Amino acid sequence: MSRFGVLTEADDFHAYCIRHALRRRGHECHIIESNRLSGHGRLSWLDNPADGQCVVADDDGVLVPVAELDVIWCRRVHAPAIVPEHVRDADARGVIDRNAAAALEGALLSEFTGRWVSDPRATRTAELKLVQLRAARAVGLRLPRTLVSQDPERVRRFCEEERFEVIVKTVAGSRTAPTMTGHVTPEILTDDAIALCPSIYQELVPGRRHLRVCCFGDDVHAAVLSTERLDWRYPHDFDAEPTELDGVTQRKLQELLAQLGLRMGIFDLKLADDGEPVWLELNPQGQFLFLEGMTGMPLASAFADFLVTEAAVSAMAASA
């Protein structure tokens, strides 16, 4: 039996599904809700390991010895802390939020010696869109021409060069409200709007066929999402069906993950008119179970199997 931890936020559907799949396989799995430590987490860490184990409570209140976990799936860690209502002062709530997050991260990084899926330090770097873009180019993926800028003159020149067949999207989305990809028109390119903050301006890839590619280590699953919308995420009115990804693109995506130090990744690409996939972005911990509901792809089972394989690697390393 292997021991798994899922580091996530409260009420995470993906965490519940994967815990269920792992327990059905006879393994132990604990969900650690990173934003519910305040008043519930019971985290303890000692400077001298001889004085006792580092423990943190899971969502059932069970104290989990961090050093005994074989794999931690680092799924969702950015949600603001859920602080008890009796703490009303905004500054106090901010201190609690930062303290809880820093203590949990420090405890895990100092005590856990198993396999991360993926290491939170690598994940933070990989979430940076500019890092992704440069890495994607380095492995030979096809990219749309891209400018990240808040310089009105450069942005207008870029859009004119592309004859305004350009989309705009955020460099980092909002935690509280969805920010959708939009089509650039001359009317929205005011100096004030452009200069507020850098944004991603990108050559429009025509077509209605998007690819969602789930890479779980060496196991790759892909689906075609068909829609006339620029951004398929909202509303979910697209058609989805499984597809086979060509071997060249698959190898490049896995090489990209390796370069970024990730064990998994969810990729968004778009099929150009000539049928070649054009890389758009990587989400190191993206959603994937909606594809199972829409297409029947056995992704929960595949992901659980991947985690079990990671645990086996962890066990081999520990015994070496």
Side-chain angles (χ1 to χ4, degrees), residues 291-310:
L291 293 175
E292 179 161 340
M294 297 183 73
T295 68
M297 299 165 66
L299 295 178
S301 179
F303 190 75
D305 289 342
F306 160 64
L307 292 180
V308 171
T309 301
E310 293 293 284

Side-chain angles (χ1 to χ4, degrees), residues 5-9 12 14-15 18 71-78 116-120 122-124 126-127 132 212-216 257 261-267 281-290 303 306-307:
V6 182
L7 182 61
T8 190
E9 60 190 41
D12 178 13
H14 277 62
I18 300 305
V71 173
I72 293 180
W73 177 23
C74 189
R75 171 157 161 76
R76 287 282 188 269
V77 295
H78 300 312
W116 287 102
V117 177
S118 297
D119 188 303
T123 297
R124 277 198 298 272
E127 287 174 335
Q132 294 181 18
R212 186 79 162 178
V213 181
C214 309
C215 291
F216 308 147
L257 289 180
L262 302 177
R263 292 299 303 138
M264 66 167 291
I266 310 300
F267 292 91
E281 64 181 38
L282 158 68
N283 189 326
Q285 290 292 340
Q287 309 279 11
F288 56 87
L289 287 182
F290 72 93
F303 190 75
F306 160 64
L307 292 180

Side-chain angles (χ1 to χ4, degrees), residues 13 56 67 80 140 144 148 168 173 179 181 193 200 269 295 312:
F13 176 74
V56 63
V148 179
V168 60
T179 47
T181 300
I200 298 173
L269 303 95
T295 68

Side-chain angles (χ1 to χ4, degrees), residues 102-128:
L104 179 60
E105 183 175 16
L108 295 176
L109 290 176
S110 62
E111 298 295 317
F112 178 61
T113 58
R115 297 276 284 184
W116 287 102
V117 177
S118 297
D119 188 303
R121 294 158 293 193
T123 297
R124 277 198 298 272
T125 300
E127 287 174 335
L128 298 172

Side-chain angles (χ1 to χ4, degrees), residues 222-241:
V224 175
L225 315 181
S226 300
T227 178
E228 299 294 341
R229 300 181 185 276
L230 276 177
D231 195 326
W232 54 262
R233 293 174 298 166
Y234 182 82
H236 274 202
D237 60 354
F238 52 84
D239 296 320
E241 60 181 355

Side-chain angles (χ1 to χ4, degrees), residues 49-301:
D51 293 334
Q53 293 179 309
C54 168
V55 295
V56 63
D58 69 7
D59 65 328
D60 293 321
V62 176
L63 290 178
V64 181
V66 170
E68 294 182 5
L69 295 172
D70 298 299
V71 173
I72 293 180
W73 177 23
C74 189
R75 171 157 161 76
R76 287 282 188 269
V77 295
H78 300 312
I82 300 172
V83 180
E85 292 184 3
H86 69 265
V87 182
R88 299 183 180 278
D89 182 80
D91 291 335
R93 295 175 73 88
V95 170
I96 292 169
D97 183 12
R98 289 178 59 82
N99 269 265
L104 179 60
E105 183 175 16
L108 295 176
L109 290 176
S110 62
E111 298 295 317
F112 178 61
T113 58
R115 297 276 284 184
W116 287 102
V117 177
S118 297
D119 188 303
R121 294 158 293 193
T123 297
R124 277 198 298 272
T125 300
E127 287 174 335
L128 298 172
K129 293 295 196 298
L130 278 66
V131 171
Q132 294 181 18
L133 284 159
R134 189 54 55 85
R137 181 172 294 281
V139 301
L141 287 160
R142 177 175 170 181
L143 275 65
R145 186 173 177 234
T146 302
L147 169 69
V148 179
S149 181
Q150 64 184 125
D151 181 330
E153 181 179 344
R154 292 203 66 176
V155 170
R156 289 196 189 92
R157 184 166 65 247
F158 178 86
C159 294
E160 289 167 357
E161 290 169 354
E162 295 297 326
R163 300 184 180 183
F164 279 90
E165 291 298 311
V166 174
I167 59 95
V168 60
K169 57 186 179 182
T170 57
V171 179
S174 168
R175 293 183 182 178
T176 57
T179 47
M180 312 303 288
T181 300
H183 197 160
V184 175
T185 63
E187 294 75 23
I188 70 172
L189 295 182
T190 66
D191 286 0
D192 289 343
I194 297 172
L196 279 173
C197 67
S199 296
I200 298 173
Y201 299 88
Q202 206 163 56
E203 169 195 358
L204 172 67
V205 181
R208 62 187 307 271
R209 295 183 299 158
H210 301 253
L211 287 175
R212 186 79 162 178
V213 181
C214 309
C215 291
F216 308 147
D218 295 329
D219 190 21
V220 177
H221 303 264
V224 175
L225 315 181
S226 300
T227 178
E228 299 294 341
R229 300 181 185 276
L230 276 177
D231 195 326
W232 54 262
R233 293 174 298 166
Y234 182 82
H236 274 202
D237 60 354
F238 52 84
D239 296 320
E241 60 181 355
T243 190
E244 290 292 328
L245 191 66
D246 69 273
V248 172
T249 301
Q250 179 172 318
R251 287 192 296 273
K252 289 178 180 178
L253 294 181
Q254 291 175 313
E255 184 180 348
L256 176 55
L257 289 180
Q259 283 201 13
L260 294 174
L262 302 177
R263 292 299 303 138
M264 66 167 291
I266 310 300
F267 292 91
D268 289 317
L269 303 95
K270 192 169 183 181
L271 291 170
D273 288 340
D274 60 7
E276 183 180 358
V278 180
W279 186 87
L280 298 178
E281 64 181 38
L282 158 68
N283 189 326
Q285 290 292 340
Q287 309 279 11
F288 56 87
L289 287 182
F290 72 93
L291 293 175
E292 179 161 340
M294 297 183 73
T295 68
M297 299 165 66
L299 295 178
S301 179

